Amino acid sequence: MQIFEELEARGLIAQTTDKEHLRDLFNNGKAVFYIGFDCTADSLTAGHFMALTMMKRLQMAGNRPIALIGGATTMVGDPSGRTDMRPMLTREDIDHNAECFRRQMEKFVDFGEGKAIMLNNADWLTSIGYIDILREVGACFSVNNMLRADCYKQRMEKGLSFLEFNYMIMQSYDFYHMYQHYGCNVQVGGDDQWSNMLGGTELIRRKLGKDAPALTITLLTDSQGKKMGKTAGNAVWLDPNKTSPFDFYQYWRNVDDGSVIKCLHMLTFLPIEQINEMAEWKDSQLNQAKEVLAFELTRMVHGEEEAQKAKEGARALFSAGGNTANMPTTQLVESDLADGQISVLDLLVKTGLASSKGEGRRLVQQGGVSVNEEKVADISASFTESQLKEGLVIKKGKKVFHKAVL
C-alpha cells in the first residue's frame, strides 16, 4: 500500500483541492509540504499529534516536510474555530515558544541535512512593508469571499477585528513565499484550516499560474463529536512538566470505547491489519486495545522507559500487583501536617488536585474524591502521619489518580 492510499485507509484525509495530483506527489516522494504551527504556548499539545504524525508518515515515504513556525502569524492570531480573540503575546514569548516547539518536533521529524527544514514566517512577514504586501497580493483577495469563509463565521456574531481579518492573507502569503523560495508545492493542515488554505492555493494560481494543492487532516474527535486532546477543560501537553507521562498515558488509556480503534488508525504507526484485528475485540479486550494505544503514544512522546513506567503505574490502579511507585506522587513534609494530621482539603491542594480549599470542598461534597479506594464524604476528614508514610492513593473523579507520601 502506498502512502496516499494508507492515509485514506487510516481515515486521515478530510479534503483535497486536487486528489490525483496529491496522490502522484506523495506516492512518488515529490512533495515538499508544509504544516504551520502558531506559537501560542510553550508546548505542543495532543491536538498537534495529527500534524506531527502526518509529517512523520510523509517523510518516511520520501517526501520533505517544512515545519513552519508562526512567529509572525501568532502576533495576529488565527480566528478559525474561535468565538473570541486570542491573547496577544510579546515577540519574546513567541520566540521562546518556538524554541520549545522545535525540541518537541525533533522527536517526530528528522531535521538532519537534506531532510526536513524548520522555518519561521517572522523572517519574511515582519520585514515586508504594509503597502508592499497590499500592492503585491491585496488585489487577489475578494472581501466578499473572505467574509463567507468558515474560519470567520464564528467570529462574525461577536465581532471580527481587522487584525484577525488579515490572518488569511498572511497564511496565504506564507505558501506563496515558500513556493517561490523553498520549492514548497503542497500545504497540509487541520480541516478547520480549509478556508485559509484555499486562499494560499488561489494566490499561487493567480500570481504564478501554478497549481499548488492542499490537503486537510481529519480532526480528531471523540464519539460525541468533541475535539480530543483536552481533559477537565485543560490541554493534554507534550511537555512532561505540564502533563506528566503518567497523566498523558492515562488520558489515552481512558478514551471511550468508540474512539480507540479510530485513534489507533490515525495516531499510531501500527500496521493497519493489526488494528483491524483489534477492531473485532469486544468488552474487556477493548481495554487491551486502549493500553496499546496509550503505550504507543506515550512511547513516541516520552520514550520507552517512561511509557513502561506509566503503564505499570496505571495497572497499579486496577490490580494488587501493580507498581504504585510510577504513579504521579507528591512528597509531603512534617510542616504540611497539623498535630500529626492533614485534612482532606489541604491534601487536595498540596497535591495539586484542587486549586483551592473551596474547589476541594466542592469536589468532596459532589462525591468526586476517594482515598485508598474509599469515597471521602466528610469535608472535615483527615489522614494521619502513619497513613501518609504508607502512601495514600487519591482519586479525583473517574480518571485522575495521585499518590501522596510523607
Side-chain angles (χ1 to χ4, degrees):
M1 186 182 293
Q2 292 186 282
I3 184 61
F4 192 85
E5 286 70 29
E6 180 180 345
L7 298 179
E8 287 187 309
R10 289 182 179 274
L12 288 166
I13 299 176
Q15 300 184 78
T16 64
T17 56
D18 188 337
K19 184 174 180 179
E20 293 310 312
H21 190 183
L22 287 163
R23 187 194 307 275
D24 174 63
L25 291 172
F26 287 153
N27 285 349
N28 292 291
K30 296 186 294 186
V32 180
F33 68 97
Y34 97 87
I35 301 181
F37 299 84
D38 276 353
C39 316
T40 53
D42 59 0
S43 172
L44 295 166
T45 71
H48 292 107
F49 239 133
M50 302 291 284
L52 295 171
T53 55
M54 178 67 86
M55 283 199 293
K56 183 178 178 71
R57 291 182 206 280
L58 290 173
Q59 185 176 50
M60 290 169 63
N63 299 284
R64 190 179 194 190
I66 297 175
L68 179 65
I69 297 297
T73 43
T74 305
M75 300 176 93
V76 172
D78 182 7
S80 302
R82 300 279 299 192
T83 56
D84 56 353
M85 193 165 141
R86 295 178 186 272
M88 299 287 281
L89 301 178
T90 67
R91 182 66 183 267
E92 291 74 21
D93 288 337
I94 293 168
D95 288 346
H96 170 72
N97 294 347
E99 183 55 34
C100 295
F101 278 23
R102 173 189 286 274
R103 291 196 297 270
Q104 292 176 341
M105 287 180 187
E106 287 172 346
K107 296 180 180 180
F108 292 82
V109 181
D110 182 359
F111 288 99
E113 187 175 351
K115 304 291 185 179
I117 56 175
M118 181 172 285
L119 301 174
N120 189 328
N121 62 19
D123 293 340
W124 55 85
L125 286 175
T126 56
S127 60
I128 189 170
Y130 187 60
I131 299 298
D132 294 332
I133 198 168
L134 284 179
R135 286 179 62 85
E136 184 174 2
V137 304
C140 297
F141 290 86
S142 161
V143 171
N144 290 7
N145 289 339
M146 291 175 71
L147 290 175
R148 286 194 291 267
D150 289 339
C151 61
Y152 294 137
K153 281 182 179 177
Q154 286 185 284
R155 295 304 317 280
M156 293 300 288
E157 291 183 9
K158 288 193 174 182
L160 176 71
S161 71
F162 183 69
L163 176 71
E164 297 168 290
F165 187 64
N166 282 269
Y167 191 92
M168 180 188 291
I169 297 174
M170 295 175 72
Q171 181 170 330
S172 301
Y173 191 90
D174 284 341
F175 196 10
Y176 171 64
H177 177 87
M178 289 186 292
Y179 185 95
Q180 296 176 91
H181 297 278
Y182 296 94
C184 179
N185 55 12
V186 177
Q187 181 177 186
V188 177
D191 199 38
D192 54 355
Q193 290 291 308
W194 181 241
S195 298
N196 289 335
M197 293 166 69
L198 289 178
T201 60
E202 180 65 9
L203 179 60
I204 291 170
R205 186 190 67 78
R206 295 189 63 173
K207 293 290 293 183
L208 305 174
K210 303 292 185 180
D211 178 22
L215 175 150
T216 61
I217 310 167
T218 305
L219 296 179
L220 187 63
T221 58
D222 62 20
S223 56
Q224 280 75 48
K226 297 179 181 178
K227 276 189 181 181
M228 295 183 66
K230 293 183 181 291
T231 177
N234 299 312
V236 179
W237 303 96
L238 304 194
D239 183 341
N241 296 313
K242 296 169 78 74
T243 298
S244 71
F246 177 87
D247 289 333
F248 186 86
Y249 179 98
Q250 276 293 96
Y251 175 80
W252 298 107
R253 170 61 180 79
N254 290 315
V255 299
D256 61 83
D257 291 354
S259 299
V260 60
I261 298 302
K262 178 173 68 173
C263 288
L264 283 164
H265 273 302
M266 299 176 81
L267 299 176
T268 77
F269 289 81
L270 296 175
I272 291 175
E273 296 78 13
Q274 180 182 348
I275 299 171
N276 288 340
E277 289 179 8
M278 284 190 262
E280 302 299 321
W281 294 358
K282 304 293 183 184
D283 303 324
S284 62
Q285 282 185 306
L286 278 176
N287 289 329
Q288 297 178 40
K290 292 178 185 182
E291 283 193 346
V292 171
L293 172 68
F295 184 85
E296 287 296 316
L297 299 189
T298 307
R299 180 182 59 79
M300 278 195 277
V301 175
H302 299 296
E304 188 91 21
E305 183 178 351
E306 290 297 331
Q308 191 60 46
K309 287 180 181 178
K311 182 177 180 179
E312 292 175 5
R315 284 187 170 178
L317 305 175
F318 305 103
S319 64
N323 183 5
T324 60
N326 294 321
M327 191 181 298
T329 301
T330 295
Q331 184 76 47
L332 300 177
V333 295
E334 295 285 349
S335 58
D336 292 322
L337 279 61
D339 298 325
Q341 299 185 41
I342 187 170
S343 70
V344 65
L345 301 184
D346 283 331
L347 185 64
L348 290 170
V349 173
K350 291 287 184 183
T351 55
L353 295 175
S355 59
S356 65
K357 286 188 178 182
E359 181 187 348
R361 183 179 293 106
R362 288 190 294 274
L363 284 169
V364 172
Q365 291 173 335
Q366 292 166 5
V369 177
S370 297
V371 176
N372 288 353
E373 299 185 1
E374 291 188 12
K375 189 175 291 294
V376 178
D378 186 354
I379 60 172
S380 63
S382 61
F383 304 92
T384 65
E385 180 178 342
S386 60
Q387 287 177 301
L388 285 165
K389 286 182 176 178
E390 292 180 4
L392 295 174
V393 176
I394 309 150
K395 180 181 178 183
K396 183 179 83 168
K398 295 181 179 180
K399 301 178 180 179
V400 178
F401 295 84
H402 199 94
K403 186 178 179 181
V405 296
L406 183 64

